[in-house]
């Protein structure tokens, strides 16, 4: 890996083994983007810069009629100086002037990647810091770029520093800008809703701005903070793709803008909707980190790069390589209706199956017998569990199982002791009735006293009970963005909330290193890299229907590794879709992630128990593939009757394929599967077909999958190098 600066041409080359990112300091001191793509030589790239007199443009003073910022590729565009495209940074000085020109001052290659104050970020790599000074408003912006040797990735972020004596107002603080020559790209995004998260959408770009964003103070299930640019001919296996992902859990925006000269600009970061930040003299403000991945091997290669990057440099190393707990979660088994005996019966009922962790979900605390009350009262409900959690925990441990507990630390019910004692701790505007969501309000995590209380009250439960696992839920997004103590700075609220949330996560995750944390937000409604930094896996969706899961998990895998997705086998008819799918299909699909169960196991027949035992054994055989393997998506049920995913070990000696046919049609065409990622020259044995073939034959001739009758039937294949 290299960060190289050519003093003569003032060009920076950020290189991985496969990619180059280049920009230069131009004759006026602006940082001029030159290239992001496949690795190239360190040639002088000035020849590739083009400006011309285009008429009806405005120019930098004293530069003739060609130097309009509107036609420069800029690493950090601002506003007010002839660039009419979206800016990366917008500042307002004490005169209320928003004119700003950020020019190169200095740079250094850092010996270690600095952490971001109060925000999660990736580890490792080599980092370049370029300091830009503003000509007019006494600010400095430090641009950080991180590059990794083995991965075609650039991380970017900015730090804004007020060097003047008077306060500055930040109107926009985005994390990155990438200017490209042409608009011959399509945008691929992941949209969704509760129980239908991360569906793939691909759309041509047009003149104007294509925006994805969240205004919910949560990265949200509506649009993941991810966008990829795909060449129109790019598909799963070939073509150029550039992926962008924000390491941020709050309100964000990513925009792709095509201007009148067909230039494409992509920018993204904290959403400036309802955002402003007062930066006092001497203070600095950090944007979240943005990840940019280049792929010359289609969407599939982009995904594998994201997966490797996040497994190696983002997810807590404490967990990332470890087998994941195989959970039985009581939520869909009992909802709020459980007692000590029921929970112990669940433990007894899974004995010998290989399920190794009981997670006690919502309803163990306060007066929480339904979802209208009790949030915030993190005290055991002794009416429901007269001897507390201890007998259940002891019963689990005695039976060789671990014990997990559900929390929703960010929330407060109006009907709770906490609210009665501290109504001002809930986010609302005095005199305006707040909009309830799931009959609950959000705690004001912009306040240190509230943050400290949450840490303390959750810690008390963790200190006094032998807990191995925490499921961290979050079930509503923000309205009435307001905190009395912020006064005139109320537009800082969303970002301050997220900083408060990270403080709590930091304290609890690091304070209890023996505890395994799972993230959740009404299923997968806050599935982002920042949450993954704290929680090595996230409940992918409340929708556990096997067929829907093929779409949800497929979409999620565009960015996030399989090991990050919690996937449970649940009951049928499914509680969300009312669909019935075969038990084997539910398990096969749940095995493409951190697997577990979520149904009333006390109703298991012996036959069912045997099947579950076999399923867990089968999962154990492929667990290392889920944790470390390369993913190849072979079929997408969002736009076809078939779903197929393949995982290949890094050394190409073992592979697993899961295929689902959604609907059975009589007398239908055959389905031929073409595995990928194998060693062409090696010989492999396909266990289920008892076929021994070369990698080249398997990948080019493929094999026919026979499903028999029935809907939502899955088939799995284990391919081993002989
Ligand atoms: C939403 C989660 O996604 C569910 O798994 C469950 O934990 C409920 N919340 C509990 O209220």
């Amino acid at each position: 890996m290299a960060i190289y600066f050519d003093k003569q041409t003032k060009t920076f080359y950020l290189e991985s083994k496969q990619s180059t990112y280049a920009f230069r300091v131009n004759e006026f001191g602006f940082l001029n983007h030159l290239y992001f793509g496949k690795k190239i030589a360190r040639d002088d790239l000035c020849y590739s810069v083009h400006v011309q007199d285009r008429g009806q443009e405005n120019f930098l003073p004293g530069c003739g009629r060609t130097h309009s910022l509107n036609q420069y590729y800029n690493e950090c565009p601002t506003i007010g100086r002839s660039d009419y495209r979206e800016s990366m940074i917008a500042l307002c000085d004490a005169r209320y002037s928003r004119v700003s020109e950020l020019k190169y001052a200095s740079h250094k290659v850092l010996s270690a990647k600095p952490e971001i104050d109060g925000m999660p970020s990736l580890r490792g790599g080599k980092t370049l810091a370029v300091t830009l000074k503003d000509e007019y408003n006494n600010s400095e912006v430090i641009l950080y770029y991180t590059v990794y040797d083995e991965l075609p990735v650039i991380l970017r972020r900015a730090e804004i520093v007020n060097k003047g004596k008077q306060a500055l107002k930040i109107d926009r603080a985005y994390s990155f800008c990438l200017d490209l020559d042409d608009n011959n790209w399509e945008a691929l995004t992941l949209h969704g809703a509760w129980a239908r998260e991360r569906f793939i959408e691909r759309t041509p770009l047009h003149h104007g701005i294509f925006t994805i964003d969240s205004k919910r103070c949560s990265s949200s299930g509506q649009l993941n903070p991810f966008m990829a640019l795909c060449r129109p001919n790019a598909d799963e296996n070939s073509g150029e793709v550039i992926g962008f992902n924000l390491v941020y859990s709050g309100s964000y925006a990513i925009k792709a803008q095509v201007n009148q000269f067909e230039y494409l600009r992509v920018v993204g970061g904290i959403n400036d909707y309802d955002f402003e930040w007062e930066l006092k003299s001497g203070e600095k403000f950090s944007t979240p980190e943005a990840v940019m991945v280049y792929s010359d091997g289609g969407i599939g290669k982009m995904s594998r790069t994201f997966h490797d990057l996040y497994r190696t440099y983002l997810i807590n190393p404490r967990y990332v390589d470890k087998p994941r707990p195989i959970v039985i979660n009581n939520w869909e088994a009992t909802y709020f209706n459980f007692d000590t005996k029921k929970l112990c019966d669940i433990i007894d009922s899974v004995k010998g199956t290989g399920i190794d962790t009981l997670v006690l979900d919502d309803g163990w605390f306060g007066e929480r017998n339904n979802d209208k009350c009790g949030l915030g009262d993190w005290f055991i409900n002794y009416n429901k569990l007269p001897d507390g959690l201890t007998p259940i925990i002891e019963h689990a441990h005695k039976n060789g199982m671990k014990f997990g507990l559900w929390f929703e630390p960010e929330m407060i019910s109006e009907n709770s002791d906490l609210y009665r004692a501290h109504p001002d701790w809930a986010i609302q505007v005095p005199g305006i009735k707040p909009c309830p969501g799931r009959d609950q309000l959000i705690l004001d995590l912009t306040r240190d006293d509230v943050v400290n209380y949450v840490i303390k009250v959750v810690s008390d439960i963790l200190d006094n009970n032998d807990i191995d696992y925490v499921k961290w839920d979050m079930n509503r997004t923000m309205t009435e963005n307001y905190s009395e103590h912020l006064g005139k700075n109320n537009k800082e609220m969303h970002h301050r909330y997220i900083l408060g949330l990270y403080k709590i996560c930091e304290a609890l995750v690091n304070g209890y290193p023996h505890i395994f944390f799972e993230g959740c937000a009404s299923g997968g409604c806050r599935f982002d890299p920042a949450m993954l930094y704290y929680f090595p896996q996230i409940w992918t969706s409340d929708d556990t229907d096997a067929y829907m899961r093929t779409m949800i998990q497929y979409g999620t895998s565009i960015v996030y590794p399989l090991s990050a997705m919690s996937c449970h086998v649940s009951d049928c008819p499914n509680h969300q879709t009312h669909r019935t799918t075969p038990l084997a299909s539910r398990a096969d699909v749940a095995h493409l992630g951190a697997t577990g169960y979520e149904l009333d196991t006390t109703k298991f027949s012996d036959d069912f128990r045997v099947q579950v035992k076999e399923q867990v054994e089968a999962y154990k055989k492929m667990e290392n593939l889920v944790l470390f393997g390369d993913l190849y998506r072979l079929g997408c049920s969002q736009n076809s009757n078939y779903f197929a995913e393949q995982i290949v070990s890094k050394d190409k000696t073992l592979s697993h394929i899961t295929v689902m046919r959604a609907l059975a049609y009589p007398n239908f065409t055959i389905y031929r599967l073409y595995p990928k990622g194998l060693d062409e020259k090696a010989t492999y044995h396909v266990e289920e077909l008892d076929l021994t073939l070369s990698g080249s034959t398997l990948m080019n001739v493929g094999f026919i999958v026979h499903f028999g009758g029935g809907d939502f039937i899955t088939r799995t294949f284990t391919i081993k190098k002989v």
Side-chain angles (χ1 to χ4, degrees):
M1 112 185 104
I3 294 177
Y4 175 74
F5 181 61
D6 184 318
K7 285 196 182 117
Q8 238 160 20
T9 60
K10 295 194 178 151
T11 302
F12 294 92
Y13 299 85
L14 311 182
E15 299 166 338
S16 75
K17 277 188 191 136
Q18 303 174 52
S19 59
T20 299
Y21 186 100
F23 58 94
R24 66 170 182 145
V25 183
N26 77 0
E27 50 275 47
F28 309 107
F30 292 102
L31 282 197
N32 179 198
H33 179 79
L34 294 167
Y35 178 76
F36 182 34
K38 212 173 169 138
K39 179 97 172 242
I40 52 167
R42 288 179 192 164
D43 287 318
D44 178 357
L45 297 174
C46 293
Y47 79 95
S48 68
V49 177
H50 175 82
V51 286
Q52 69 181 76
D53 180 356
R54 289 185 181 270
Q56 266 276 325
E57 286 300 292
N58 303 314
F59 307 96
L60 291 172
C63 295
R65 288 200 179 184
T66 47
H67 293 291
S68 162
L69 287 182
N70 214 22
Q71 38 183 322
Y72 265 117
Y73 308 151
N74 200 330
E75 286 293 306
C76 188
T78 53
I79 59 172
R81 295 300 266 176
S82 77
D83 188 342
Y84 292 99
R85 290 166 291 175
E86 288 293 304
S87 68
M88 179 170 145
I89 306 281
L91 302 173
C92 178
D93 68 19
R95 295 177 297 168
Y96 306 109
S97 159
R98 281 94 56 228
V99 176
S100 146
E101 264 185 28
L102 283 167
K103 293 192 175 172
Y104 172 84
S106 63
H107 74 270
K108 55 181 178 218
V109 175
L110 308 177
S111 52
K113 184 173 187 281
E115 291 185 354
I116 312 180
D117 247 3
M119 266 189 289
S121 58
L122 284 87
R123 304 176 293 274
K126 201 167 218 176
T127 300
L128 166 72
V130 184
T131 301
L132 309 175
K133 278 193 192 321
D134 199 288
E135 297 278 288
Y136 306 114
N137 63 23
N138 287 316
S139 71
E140 262 182 24
V141 171
I142 305 166
L143 300 180
Y144 292 90
Y145 297 83
T146 299
V147 61
Y148 295 91
D149 191 24
E150 74 282 17
L151 294 166
V153 166
I154 295 286
L155 307 183
R156 286 200 55 180
R157 70 179 176 96
E159 213 166 73
I160 305 166
V161 190
N162 184 352
K163 292 283 194 183
K165 293 207 163 59
Q166 286 169 304
L168 287 170
K169 185 158 67 71
I170 303 174
D171 288 324
R172 173 175 287 185
Y174 278 1
S175 306
F176 73 95
C177 170
L178 182 68
D179 277 346
L180 297 166
D181 251 344
D182 65 288
N183 66 1
N184 192 25
W185 298 90
E186 295 173 349
L188 184 147
T189 51
L190 302 171
H191 71 97
W194 171 76
R196 187 172 46 76
E197 298 91 337
R198 287 169 297 285
F199 273 53
I200 295 171
E201 188 162 48
R202 196 160 158 171
T203 162
L205 295 174
H206 53 79
H207 291 99
I209 303 169
F210 171 66
T211 303
I212 57 160
D213 77 346
S214 164
K215 301 182 178 76
R216 294 169 174 270
C217 197
S218 151
S219 52
S220 95
Q222 197 179 326
L223 280 160
N224 199 260
F226 162 80
M227 184 188 286
L229 298 176
C230 306
R231 289 294 187 192
N233 66 354
D235 59 18
E236 200 42 44
N237 305 304
S238 65
E240 272 196 308
V241 178
I242 302 175
F244 306 88
N245 197 198
L246 293 170
V247 188
Y248 192 56
S249 312
S251 299
Y252 76 91
I254 302 178
K255 296 173 181 240
Q257 178 174 26
V258 178
N259 81 349
Q260 72 272 44
F261 310 128
E262 316 300 331
Y263 299 159
L264 171 59
R265 169 170 288 174
V266 186
V267 287
I270 296 172
N271 200 339
D272 48 17
Y273 163 85
D274 209 16
F275 169 84
E276 263 175 23
W277 195 274
E278 185 185 11
L279 197 65
K280 298 205 181 81
S281 169
E283 284 184 348
K284 66 178 190 192
F285 179 91
S286 295
T287 72
E289 194 157 63
V291 181
M292 304 197 294
V293 168
Y294 174 76
S295 164
D296 57 356
I299 302 161
K301 183 172 173 193
M302 176 200 69
S303 299
R304 289 187 289 282
T305 303
F306 271 118
H307 299 175
D308 284 341
L309 181 75
Y310 289 168
R311 289 185 297 211
T312 318
Y313 298 111
L314 177 73
I315 300 176
N316 195 326
R318 226 167 31 228
Y319 313 114
V320 73
D321 290 350
K322 305 270 163 34
R324 298 301 163 83
I326 300 186
V327 158
I328 171 69
N329 178 304
N330 75 309
W331 179 241
E332 288 201 3
T334 64
Y335 293 104
F336 293 101
N337 189 17
F338 57 82
D339 55 19
T340 308
K341 179 172 180 322
K342 180 72 187 179
L343 296 168
C344 290
D345 286 350
I346 291 179
I347 294 169
D348 292 339
S349 69
V350 299
K351 242 185 243 170
T353 58
I355 293 175
D356 58 24
T357 304
L358 169 78
V359 175
L360 170 52
D361 212 282
D362 198 351
W364 55 269
F365 53 91
E367 293 297 311
R368 184 84 171 164
N369 294 316
N370 56 55
D371 65 6
K372 293 181 174 26
C373 59
L375 289 172
D377 296 342
W378 300 108
F379 308 103
I380 295 166
N381 179 341
Y382 286 98
N383 291 329
K384 206 177 213 173
L385 305 171
D387 300 308
L389 298 172
T390 308
I392 309 156
I393 297 177
E394 282 179 351
H395 196 63
H397 288 170
K398 210 169 62 210
N399 283 286
M401 284 178 74
K402 299 198 171 219
F403 178 81
L405 196 61
W406 181 95
F407 288 92
E408 194 176 358
E410 298 158 65
M411 297 294 153
I412 180 166
S413 306
E414 279 178 273
N415 184 2
S416 68
D417 290 344
L418 186 66
Y419 187 85
R420 283 182 279 276
H422 299 284
D424 58 315
W425 283 14
I427 290 173
Q428 53 186 321
V429 185
I432 300 178
K433 203 159 176 40
C435 301
R438 209 193 188 203
D439 283 298
Q440 62 194 59
L441 300 177
I442 307 182
L443 280 168
D444 186 353
L445 301 188
T446 70
R447 290 173 55 153
D448 284 344
D449 53 350
V450 178
V451 165
N452 292 335
Y453 175 81
V454 172
I455 295 171
K456 164 99 180 53
V457 78
V458 175
S459 298
D460 282 349
I461 292 285
L462 301 182
D463 288 339
N464 294 315
N465 297 279
D466 197 358
I467 288 162
D468 310 290
Y469 185 117
V470 163
K471 175 177 174 186
W472 183 308
D473 205 347
M474 188 283 283
N475 285 301
R476 72 154 287 179
T477 56
M478 204 179 285
T479 52
E480 296 90 27
N481 310 325
Y482 183 78
S483 180
E484 208 157 5
H485 80 108
L486 290 177
K488 70 177 172 36
N489 290 337
N490 250 286
K491 288 191 171 183
E492 298 182 0
M493 215 231 146
H494 273 197
H495 186 57
R496 285 196 183 278
Y497 176 90
I498 292 296
L499 295 178
L501 166 65
Y502 292 154
K503 226 184 259 174
I504 299 174
C505 293
E506 199 74 47
L508 294 174
V509 170
N510 290 333
Y512 297 87
H514 64 284
I515 294 181
F516 185 93
F517 284 81
E518 178 190 53
C520 174
S522 306
C525 290
R526 193 170 61 186
F527 205 124
D528 62 61
M531 285 291 104
L532 265 191
Y533 172 90
Y534 296 111
F535 311 139
Q537 67 190 47
I538 298 175
W539 181 225
T540 316
S541 178
D542 274 347
D543 190 341
T544 46
D545 170 71
Y547 177 51
M548 288 298 291
R549 274 300 186 116
T550 61
M551 297 176 226
I552 294 167
Q553 292 173 205
Y554 187 107
T556 306
S557 80
I558 295 286
V559 191
Y560 306 101
L562 297 189
S563 59
M565 297 181 217
S566 298
C567 304
H568 291 177
V569 174
S570 63
D571 212 351
C572 274
N574 180 271
H575 291 201
Q576 277 70 38
T577 61
H578 299 211
R579 184 183 285 122
T580 294
T581 55
L583 175 62
S585 305
R586 283 176 265 155
D588 288 342
V589 174
H591 288 179
L592 296 168
T595 202
Y597 290 80
E598 176 129 3
L599 70 179
D600 191 349
T601 48
T602 61
K603 294 186 184 143
F604 275 6
S605 65
D606 284 345
D607 179 45
F608 200 99
R609 209 180 318 278
V610 170
Q611 288 185 60
V612 170
K613 184 172 184 288
E614 286 169 2
Q615 287 165 4
V616 175
E617 280 165 6
Y619 181 71
K620 285 285 167 192
K621 286 192 190 139
M622 60 180 285
E623 190 170 44
N624 279 345
L625 291 174
V626 172
L627 289 175
F628 312 114
D630 283 333
L631 177 73
Y632 292 84
R633 288 176 294 256
L634 309 180
C636 174
S637 49
Q638 207 189 304
N639 52 28
S640 84
N641 200 31
Y642 298 94
F643 158 85
E645 278 184 4
Q646 178 189 9
I647 332 173
V648 184
S649 63
K650 289 277 178 201
D651 64 4
K652 297 181 185 296
T653 58
L654 180 66
S655 177
H656 172 95
I657 301 179
T658 299
V659 194
M660 177 189 276
R661 182 190 61 196
L663 298 181
Y665 293 83
N667 206 4
F668 206 45
T669 54
I670 56 165
Y671 180 68
R672 188 181 292 269
L673 193 72
Y674 297 91
K676 299 218 174 297
L678 303 175
D679 177 354
E680 291 204 336
K681 297 204 175 74
T683 306
Y684 291 93
H685 183 243
V686 186
E687 270 182 19
E688 292 72 8
L689 304 174
D690 196 17
L691 268 179
T692 302
L693 293 165
S694 69
S696 62
T697 303
L698 267 173
M699 291 193 286
N700 291 299
V701 181
F703 56 81
I704 295 167
V705 183
H706 298 281
F707 292 95
D711 294 339
F712 314 111
I713 300 292
T714 49
R715 293 285 177 259
T716 60
F717 300 95
T718 306
I719 304 177
K720 280 187 182 152
K721 191 169 164 182
V722 291

